[in-house]
Amino acid sequence: MTPVDDKEVNQPLATTPAEQLKNSNVVDKTLAYETAVKIFGYLILALAVALSSFQIWQGVTSTISATYFRPVHLCWVLVLIFLHYPLISNRYNKAYMLGRVTDLALCGLTVFAGYRMLIFDYNDIDHLLYGLGTADLVAGSALVLLLLEGCRRTVGWVMVLIAGLFLAYSAFGDMLPGALATKAYSLQELVQFQIFSANGVFGSALGIAATTVFIFVLFGAFLEVTGAGKFFIDLAFSIAGKYRGGPAKAAVLASAGLGSISGSAIANTVTTGSVTIPMMKKLGYTPEQSAGIEAAASTGGQIMPPIMGAGAFVMAQFTGVPYSDIMLASIAPAILYFFCTLLYVHLMACKLNLQAASRTEAVISVMKDGAHHLIPLGIITTLLMMAYSPLLVGVAGCAAILLTAALRKHSRIGLSKFISGMKNGALMALPISVACGAAGIIVGVVGQTGIGLQFTQFVMEFSGGYMLVALGLISIVALVLGMGLPVTAAYIVLAVMAVPMLGDFGLPLLTAHLIVFWLSQTSNVTPPIALAAFAGAGVANANPMKSSVEAFKLAGGLFMIPIMMAYTDLLNPEAGMMAFGFAIVQTATIIVAIAISIEGYLLRPLSKLERMLAFAAAPWVLFNPFSTGFVGVLLILGLIGWQWKTRVKAAV
């Protein structure tokens, strides 16, 4: 049935000539726009598939240098955004076609700007001596505005306002008082720095988004169309479903696996949540608890190796540290995070006296049908550990998932699903690329004006030289940024501003970046704007704010573990296995202490005295006064032993 038929069926019966005329106008409008809508749909499909093909070709051959490849990628992305995210999305709006004409005009302006980037001679120093030509100045200025409009359509106004604020600071900074003042840069200087150099829009952030991140997003799209996503969910249920609160624990495990691949906490929440949230509600969890569990678990997917969030690839570029080293350093903290989430889930299930799922499929049966989906992950992990380029590893992963899917009849895909995967991969990458491009503006302004140094001095003075206070201030900034920015963009902005300050406290470069990376994730689960929790609330039909409170509690590891990164050897196995092992024990102890003191439950309900002792153990272990932190560990172990003994007596 065509859309016109649907509209006619859904129209109420017209009882008057006026109503008949009104209905006929709606149908005529649908008929008039239907052809245009279909044409735009085919155009989007063609451009998206072509973009994915181009990205794979560039990833394999690296024929085009970064100087020209990045502008081509960004302009291609912007054209797709203007087509896929129309100015007026409601096709029944009278101004719909006018909006589409405007979108086409913006596409044309983007192509013109891209053309000027491609023919620009970077080896000619005349533009440095005499400035840009009129055509190049217009093209560069237009590209900045087009990028901000692309961000508005895909990411939202906050990213636009922050980038605009930094540009305004660069242009009018001389009007500010005192230490905030900076040199005012002309439009010529701004465009030359931001567009016709590798310091602004086309810097390393966009470079990573246009290469490695895009390929891994495409890899995730192929996993979805081949059915690998369903396999991970089924496997998690077969492992954890038979235990108390099984569906909730399965949600955590599934999100750890699938979230590591999808690269988006929100996408992971909706994908796995559509299966896990109804089962959690059926078992006895409240809608808010179900949404919070899924949001917290899905957020953890961004910090779980082997494929972490897009920011991890940016981190490798920023720090010069191989991605394999970042992946290895992240394993222990990521496991501790999911231990934290699973612990809360278990305590909640015990308090509610929830039982296991009534029936779960055997692990052997699930593995029999889908074990081949693990092969691409094994290949990717092995190649990353062997220090191959993440870009080439991503291309190999895309090929591996298609080849392994072809091994089994039920996972084999045809041409239509292959094209769907190519299209979905390109469309999913659009917000990431423009967000990284806009973040490049901010990075460029920080470098051009030196405001990053001023931010470092401000935080150092305000913290009084105490690292814990400085980490608290960074957490607050991360929350504010995360309310309107994607995680990757928030990490880039925060890394440029905060990492130098953490370095002043003596933290290693990788440790400082991982702390900032983890804190950048908190916006997904922290009220008042917790995007992953809100997405979960939509699936669970729950109160969004109450869901975000539950998610905030369950994702407490996002705040605790970065502190332990700063104060212990959690990221430094080279300190010796004894120190590294004790750091893990310290962190796990703090997680347990805070969880049981909040929930008031361990093996049985805690008394007031037991709750106070548990709460006191956390800072004791953290600050380790006079090297007595082990006493806090012994306190929690003793509390567990006491509860076990008294629970056995009560049962007898």
Side-chain angles (χ1 to χ4, degrees):
M1 182 178 288
T2 65
V4 176
D5 294 329
D6 290 338
K7 193 68 185 177
E8 289 172 341
V9 169
N10 293 329
Q11 284 295 329
L13 293 175
T15 57
T16 67
E19 290 178 352
Q20 292 175 357
L21 179 60
K22 179 182 177 181
N23 289 348
S24 67
N25 286 340
V26 173
V27 175
D28 289 342
K29 196 184 304 181
T30 306
L31 286 168
Y33 297 162
E34 195 65 32
T35 302
V37 170
K38 288 182 179 179
I39 291 174
F40 276 104
Y42 290 132
L43 185 58
I44 292 168
L45 174 64
L47 287 174
V49 173
L51 175 59
S52 293
S53 303
F54 171 70
Q55 294 287 150
I56 294 173
W57 172 78
Q58 172 66 10
V60 173
T61 65
S62 298
T63 302
I64 306 176
S65 67
T67 303
Y68 297 102
F69 169 67
R70 294 174 187 179
V72 169
H73 171 84
L74 181 61
C75 291
W76 204 324
V77 163
L78 286 173
V79 168
L80 263 174
I81 286 174
F82 296 139
L83 294 176
H84 186 60
Y85 297 89
L87 183 64
I88 299 173
S89 57
N90 182 8
R91 74 169 101 164
Y92 303 116
N93 190 307
K94 292 181 179 180
Y96 173 78
M97 287 306 297
L98 178 61
R100 286 320 246 163
V101 171
T102 304
D103 294 332
L104 289 175
L106 293 178
C107 291
L109 185 57
T110 303
V111 172
F112 164 73
Y115 170 72
R116 295 303 307 182
M117 304 295 110
L118 288 178
I119 65 172
F120 188 79
D121 186 1
Y122 291 91
N123 295 320
D124 188 352
I125 64 171
D126 283 352
H127 67 280
L128 297 175
L129 299 175
Y130 309 112
L132 299 170
T134 302
D136 292 328
L137 182 62
V138 170
S141 303
L143 191 59
V144 172
L145 296 177
L146 291 166
L147 175 60
L148 295 180
E149 172 61 10
C151 278
R152 184 193 69 81
R153 296 193 188 192
T154 56
V155 180
W157 273 106
V158 175
M159 186 78 195
V160 177
L161 293 175
I162 293 177
L165 182 64
F166 272 81
L167 285 173
Y169 176 75
S170 185
F172 307 107
D174 60 328
M175 299 181 182
L176 296 175
L180 292 176
T182 185
K183 173 190 172 183
Y185 293 90
S186 65
L187 177 64
Q188 177 83 227
E189 292 171 315
L190 282 174
V191 172
Q192 194 163 327
F193 189 86
Q194 291 288 350
I195 300 298
F196 293 94
S197 76
N199 300 307
V201 171
F202 300 118
S204 58
L206 180 63
I208 292 297
T211 52
T212 306
V213 173
F214 187 100
I215 291 298
F216 275 101
V217 169
L218 186 61
F219 174 75
F222 282 142
L223 283 177
E224 284 300 310
V225 298
T226 56
K230 182 179 182 300
F231 162 72
F232 284 111
I233 296 174
D234 292 342
L235 182 61
F237 269 97
S238 65
I239 294 173
K242 58 186 176 182
Y243 299 105
R244 173 174 282 189
K249 294 174 181 176
V252 176
L253 295 180
S255 296
L258 188 59
S260 179
I261 297 162
S262 70
S264 169
I266 299 172
N268 193 16
T269 300
V270 176
T271 302
T272 59
S274 61
V275 177
T276 59
I277 287 176
M279 294 191 69
M280 284 189 273
K281 290 171 64 178
K282 184 177 180 181
L283 193 66
Y285 288 98
T286 67
E288 287 74 22
Q289 287 175 331
S290 303
I293 290 169
E294 183 56 54
S298 297
T299 300
Q302 307 302 291
I303 55 178
M304 186 68 183
I307 307 172
M308 301 159 69
F313 295 106
V314 178
M315 187 192 308
Q317 181 74 22
F318 278 3
T319 61
V321 176
Y323 182 81
S324 57
D325 291 352
I326 295 174
M327 183 175 67
L328 285 174
S330 300
I331 292 175
I335 292 174
L336 285 167
Y337 174 84
F338 282 103
F339 166 72
C340 175
T341 306
L342 281 170
L343 177 62
Y344 275 104
V345 166
H346 178 72
L347 295 177
M348 290 164 63
C350 292
K351 287 176 65 178
L352 295 170
N353 195 27
L354 303 181
Q355 302 305 313
S358 58
R359 185 178 64 185
T360 59
E361 192 173 358
V363 175
I364 295 178
S365 177
V366 175
M367 291 294 290
K368 183 179 178 181
D369 288 337
H372 60 291
H373 289 306
L374 295 174
I375 296 175
L377 294 184
I379 291 174
I380 281 180
T381 304
T382 302
L383 293 177
L384 287 173
M385 292 298 298
M386 293 174 67
Y388 280 92
S389 162
L391 176 59
L392 291 177
V393 172
V395 174
C398 290
I401 186 60
L402 294 175
L403 291 174
T404 53
L407 296 176
R408 305 292 296 276
K409 184 177 180 180
H410 64 273
S411 62
R412 198 172 299 148
I413 64 172
L415 181 60
S416 61
K417 282 195 173 183
F418 172 76
I419 291 175
S420 177
M422 296 281 279
K423 175 189 174 184
N424 292 341
L427 296 182
M428 286 191 295
L430 299 182
I432 300 175
S433 290
V434 290
C436 287
I441 293 177
I442 298 169
V443 173
V445 171
V446 170
Q448 193 176 30
T449 62
I451 189 176
L453 179 61
Q454 296 167 4
F455 176 82
T456 299
Q457 292 173 342
F458 168 77
V459 173
M460 289 289 287
E461 292 176 5
F462 199 85
S463 66
Y466 293 99
M467 184 164 61
L468 188 62
V469 178
L471 289 172
L473 293 173
I474 294 173
S475 299
I476 294 172
V477 175
L479 286 177
V480 174
L481 287 175
M483 289 179 184
L485 301 186
V487 168
T488 304
Y491 160 70
I492 293 170
V493 174
L494 200 60
V496 173
M497 306 289 281
V499 165
M501 181 265 297
L502 291 175
D504 291 342
F505 282 106
L507 293 180
L509 180 64
L510 180 57
T511 300
H513 271 275
L514 277 171
I515 289 172
V516 170
F517 180 63
W518 273 61
L519 293 176
S520 299
Q521 312 290 330
T522 58
S523 60
N524 277 317
V525 291
T526 306
I529 300 176
L531 298 181
F534 287 1
V539 177
N541 194 24
N543 181 292
M545 195 56 63
K546 291 181 180 179
S547 299
S548 65
V549 171
E550 290 291 338
F552 176 74
K553 178 178 67 175
L554 288 154
L558 287 178
F559 298 92
M560 292 182 280
I561 295 173
I563 293 175
M564 300 307 291
M565 292 178 185
Y567 281 91
T568 69
D569 291 313
L570 187 60
L571 294 179
N572 187 24
E574 295 179 359
M577 290 308 298
M578 185 71 72
F580 179 62
F582 184 62
I584 293 175
V585 171
Q586 283 179 288
T587 308
T589 302
I590 292 175
I591 288 171
V592 172
I594 294 177
I596 63 177
S597 60
I598 289 176
E599 292 295 328
Y601 195 99
L602 183 52
L603 301 177
R604 57 166 174 76
L606 294 174
S607 66
K608 289 184 178 180
L609 177 60
E610 289 172 333
R611 206 164 182 173
M612 289 175 60
L613 290 174
F615 189 77
W620 198 342
V621 173
L622 172 62
F623 294 111
N624 193 22
F626 306 107
S627 299
T628 61
F630 68 93
V631 176
V633 177
L634 294 176
L635 182 61
I636 294 298
L637 291 175
L639 188 58
I640 294 173
W642 171 253
Q643 284 237 327
W644 180 266
K645 181 179 178 181
T646 55
R647 188 184 74 163
V648 171
K649 282 186 176 181
V652 173

